[in-house]
Amino acid sequence: MIRWLNAGRVLGLLLVLGYHFFQDFLPGGFFGVDVFFTFSGYLITALAVEEYRKSGNFRLGSFCKRRFLRIWPPLVLMAALTLPFALLISPDFTADIGRQLASALGGVTNWFEILNGGSYEARMLPHLFLHTWSLAAEIQFYIIWGLFCAAAVFLLRKLTPEVTRRSYAVLKGLLFVVSIALAVVSYLRMRAGYAANAADPSAVYFGLDTRGFPFMLGAAAGALYGVRIKERAGSAGAKFFAACGMILPAAGLFILSLSLRFSDESTYRTGILGASLLTILIILSARRLHAVTAGTDEPRALTVTSDLSYGIFLFHWPLYVVFARGLGWKAWPAAAVTLALSALFAALMHYGIEPLLHTKPGEKRRRLAPVPAALLIAAMVLSGFALNRAPVRSSLEEEMLAGYLYQDAAAIGSAEKLVGAVKDEPLVIPASMPVIGDLIQGLPVSSGGGSFQPVPPVPPPVIRPPGEDDQTGIPAGVTIIGDSVALGARKRLAESIPHSDVDTEGNRSIALGYELVMEWQQAGTLREYVVVGCGTNGTADVFEKIDLLIANLAPGHRLILITPFDGRASEKWLSYRTMVYCREIADQYPFVTIADWAAVIKPREELLGADQIHIGGNAEAIQLYVNCVIEAINEASGKPAKE
């Protein structure tokens, strides 16, 4: 094995841990995943080429067995040891955990997240096994590329049974050309995918077809350079320049991780590609350093950390979700406990269990010591309890489902009135239709955490009733356009605010809210008071869209912006900066009013759901939200409309 490659693995792990633990400091630490991908592409291809050179064959069965033993036992152990910790936190964090676990063990987490509309940066509750999406991508790469390498060697053996310099060169050239071609196709697909999904590029980020090019660039380097190195004692200068060849690209990766964020366009145009190319430079420099440091071993700390890196990667995410999100610990203590437990479990796996799986023929079969065996049995029993108590849907998902059902029921009611008016007779509703009402009745509203103290409702806003002529031609009343937070209060908003149209939707951004306002305005259905609460789902153009909303809103309207709130957000987060921008913009325009939900809920964060964003079906929080909107409408009624 090439010495000093371990430094690259450890670098990738540190970037990922930095991103998950301290995202504000290292917003682009997810580039560590591209380090792993590029390393995997290089090593798999280089070892395949070397196996052909030595034996004239590539044994797909042996390759798959090695990959299976390397990947799945730690994966199963991770699930068994981390699920019991979920008993310490809200069951919401384990909602639908069965399908998540099956996806993780089946190596398809990336496609599971894509098909279920999962967000990489987890706008609601993070999945405990979300991090296995990258492992799933690796598994899929191993299968596809392993099959291709086996097929290439098989055809080559048919044409040239003996290994010759020419056949060896043909195999390397074929793998190199195909790798580059696939890398180009994958990169272009990522660029196109981002252009179509810039608001949330999670599907582009998860997909093997769009994220496969780091693997293929690594594979191209593996085909070109292989693993063979001629060692020689190098001079001090040669060692220095070889070491610099590793340090400088590593510094470049760190700078990328400091500079770019997940949703930035530059991440998908140049960032991921740049991270992959910098990783190749690290690999080539490690080869050079290996050559000039003959007889020199890597530091023990480096090799041990590298040995444990896979286990630490597997264990850290679900444990950190438990401590930081589930229990609400601060970042530093949560990170410290997570890292300590992850290292402990990784060591148990690497030094205690993995050796049992690699017993060679003729060797005495080893047995697991009694204490680790008892630990595993206890963990499996507790995991069963965690799986048993896991709900099908979280309270946040129930909240959104109820909101959608109320909204659909209101739409059906409106359609009934229209059709009844046209026919001048009662609308006959099929017997199956009341199921919507039954479903709504089956979704209870809870009082949430803490003792329930009813919040008295604010009297309905004083607004111009329909039919009164105000010389503008604008429909009287209130139009409310909201995101998933407003969705949780949708029914109460519609009941409490007369002459209102309420349209709420999960994952709705300011950009999408702006488009809907313009659509209704063009159709002549936008009411006098326009309430927009879509700041939770931030996009890069959020401030531009707020400016466009203010500029393009027709005269005669009054605009009310609901400030977003995220209990996890620091001053660097987009949702926090959106809140500040909304407050600042209201001071500049007389027709703009703020419904300061962030200020209202900040002292009462315990009323929110487990994600610290959504109302979570809490009756008290719902009434606070509705009161906040009504008070803003009343305040706006005393201001001039847009001229």
Side-chain angles (χ1 to χ4, degrees):
M1 182 54 67
I2 302 171
R3 294 189 305 275
W4 310 109
L5 278 183
N6 287 326
R9 288 197 187 94
V10 172
L11 172 64
L13 176 65
L14 291 176
L15 290 176
V16 170
L17 294 179
Y19 173 65
H20 287 158
F21 294 162
F22 310 109
Q23 189 178 125
D24 286 346
F25 172 70
L26 205 66
F30 52 81
F31 288 124
V33 171
D34 299 292
V35 174
F36 296 147
F37 286 176
T38 309
F39 263 82
S40 293
Y42 169 79
L43 290 172
I44 294 303
T45 309
L47 292 173
V49 168
E50 184 65 11
E51 183 179 344
Y52 173 76
R53 186 189 69 83
K54 288 182 176 180
S55 66
N57 200 358
F58 175 70
R59 295 174 178 81
L60 184 61
S62 298
F63 168 78
C64 292
K65 180 182 178 181
R66 292 193 301 270
R67 292 295 90 202
F68 178 86
L69 292 177
R70 172 61 175 159
I71 292 171
W72 267 277
L75 188 59
V76 173
L77 183 68
M78 179 273 293
L81 291 180
T82 57
L83 273 175
F85 286 90
L87 294 171
L88 302 174
I89 59 178
S90 167
D92 281 350
F93 285 91
T94 56
D96 199 27
I97 194 67
R99 289 203 308 159
Q100 294 178 46
L101 180 58
S103 300
L105 297 179
V108 292
T109 299
N110 56 339
W111 298 111
F112 171 80
E113 294 294 336
I114 290 172
L115 293 175
N116 286 273
S119 173
Y120 180 63
E121 291 200 322
R123 288 176 179 168
M124 293 182 68
L125 293 179
H127 290 169
L128 289 180
F129 304 129
L130 174 66
H131 66 311
T132 62
W133 79 267
S134 60
L135 182 60
E138 294 222 22
I139 292 170
Q140 293 153 26
F141 165 73
Y142 294 149
I143 294 172
I144 296 170
W145 194 239
L147 286 170
F148 180 81
C149 289
V153 170
F154 176 80
L155 292 175
L156 196 57
R157 292 182 67 195
K158 289 294 184 182
L159 296 174
T160 311
E162 299 294 328
V163 178
T164 64
R165 300 184 79 177
R166 182 175 182 180
S167 66
Y168 181 58
V170 167
L171 178 62
K172 293 177 66 175
L174 175 63
L175 295 181
F176 177 80
V177 170
V178 173
S179 298
I180 292 297
L182 291 176
V184 171
V185 171
S186 175
Y187 173 71
L188 293 177
R189 283 187 58 79
M190 183 190 67
R191 290 279 298 269
Y194 178 83
N197 300 276
D200 183 6
S202 294
V204 178
Y205 190 81
F206 287 135
L208 180 64
D209 57 331
T210 50
R211 290 300 307 284
F213 66 91
F215 290 112
M216 303 321 303
L217 290 174
L224 198 59
Y225 293 98
V227 293
R228 286 193 303 157
I229 303 173
K230 294 181 180 179
E231 296 188 46
R232 64 185 185 279
S235 64
K239 295 176 183 178
F240 173 78
F241 284 113
C244 287
M246 294 191 68
I247 293 172
L248 291 177
L253 280 166
F254 186 69
I255 292 171
L256 276 180
S257 299
L258 287 172
S259 307
L260 298 178
R261 295 180 177 273
F262 171 73
S263 59
D264 290 349
E265 182 178 2
S266 297
T267 295
Y268 299 87
R269 281 185 171 273
T270 57
I272 296 173
L273 176 62
S276 304
L277 295 176
L278 288 170
T279 303
I280 291 176
L281 290 178
I282 291 175
I283 292 171
L284 298 182
S285 297
R287 288 173 50 86
R288 177 67 176 168
L289 191 59
H290 176 102
V292 299
T293 57
T296 303
D297 293 329
E298 294 174 288
R300 179 65 176 164
L302 183 62
T303 57
V304 169
T305 305
S306 179
D307 289 341
L308 300 182
S309 61
Y310 176 51
I312 292 174
F313 171 80
L314 282 180
F315 285 102
H316 86 280
W317 175 249
L319 291 175
Y320 189 69
V321 169
V322 168
F323 296 127
R325 298 293 300 275
L327 297 177
W329 292 9
K330 297 295 184 181
W332 277 105
V337 173
T338 295
L339 194 56
L341 286 174
S342 298
L344 176 65
F345 292 151
L348 171 66
M349 181 66 226
H350 185 76
Y351 298 113
I353 296 178
E354 281 191 4
L356 308 181
L357 306 174
H358 298 285
T359 303
K360 296 179 181 179
E363 289 184 349
K364 184 179 180 180
R365 183 167 294 278
R366 305 172 186 177
R367 294 182 179 179
L368 187 62
V371 173
L375 174 65
L376 287 176
I377 292 172
M380 293 178 69
V381 172
L382 292 174
S383 294
F385 282 112
L387 290 170
N388 184 62
R389 80 158 191 163
V392 176
R393 289 185 298 264
S394 70
S395 62
L396 301 179
E397 291 169 325
E398 294 280 9
E399 168 194 331
M400 294 180 68
L401 175 60
Y404 284 130
L405 290 173
Y406 283 126
Q407 190 156 289
D408 291 343
I412 291 173
S414 298
E416 176 185 350
K417 291 179 181 179
L418 289 173
V419 175
V422 171
K423 292 185 175 181
D424 198 25
E425 59 185 25
L427 179 68
V428 179
I429 302 177
S432 61
M433 290 299 289
V435 71
I436 292 181
D438 296 339
L439 281 170
I440 293 173
Q441 292 300 321
L443 295 173
V445 175
S446 71
S447 61
S451 59
F452 176 57
Q453 299 176 348
V455 177
V458 172
V462 181
I463 56 177
R464 176 174 61 91
E468 287 193 9
D469 185 10
D470 70 343
Q471 308 299 321
T472 66
I474 295 174
V478 183
T479 297
I480 302 175
I481 295 175
D483 55 17
S484 55
V485 179
L487 182 62
R490 194 258 171 229
K491 180 175 183 290
R492 191 71 59 83
L493 285 169
E495 292 173 344
S496 304
I497 303 176
H499 321 308
S500 62
D501 296 325
V502 185
D503 190 296
T504 53
E505 181 78 30
N507 289 333
R508 177 177 282 162
S509 63
I510 287 286
L512 295 176
Y514 166 73
E515 291 176 3
L516 192 55
V517 169
M518 292 299 104
E519 179 184 329
W520 287 14
Q521 181 170 279
Q522 186 174 5
T525 57
L526 190 68
R527 294 180 181 267
E528 178 182 358
Y529 294 81
V530 181
V531 181
V532 178
C534 308
T536 305
N537 307 294
T539 55
D541 60 350
V542 58
F543 307 122
E544 174 188 346
K545 294 301 183 182
I546 292 175
D547 292 342
L548 285 174
L549 176 61
I550 291 172
N552 295 330
L553 189 67
H557 290 287
R558 294 173 169 86
L559 178 63
I560 297 166
L561 298 174
I562 304 176
T563 56
F565 178 78
D566 185 338
R568 306 163 299 159
S570 71
E571 295 181 2
K572 295 181 179 179
W573 286 39
L574 191 55
S575 60
Y576 185 93
R577 290 186 285 128
T578 301
M579 173 193 70
V580 173
Y581 193 76
C582 288
R583 290 171 176 169
E584 292 174 347
I585 210 77
D587 294 334
Q588 302 175 29
Y589 299 93
F591 65 92
V592 178
T593 304
I594 292 299
D596 206 341
W597 169 241
V600 169
I601 198 60
K602 176 65 176 176
R604 307 296 307 278
E605 286 187 54
E606 74 278 2
L607 300 178
L608 295 176
D611 67 344
Q612 298 175 269
I613 299 174
H614 293 83
I615 294 172
N618 185 296
E620 190 172 0
I622 290 172
Q623 191 61 58
L624 284 172
Y625 189 91
V626 173
N627 288 354
C628 178
V629 174
I630 291 176
E631 288 171 353
I633 294 172
N634 281 327
E635 180 184 347
S637 67
K639 295 181 177 181
K642 184 178 182 181
E643 297 179 354

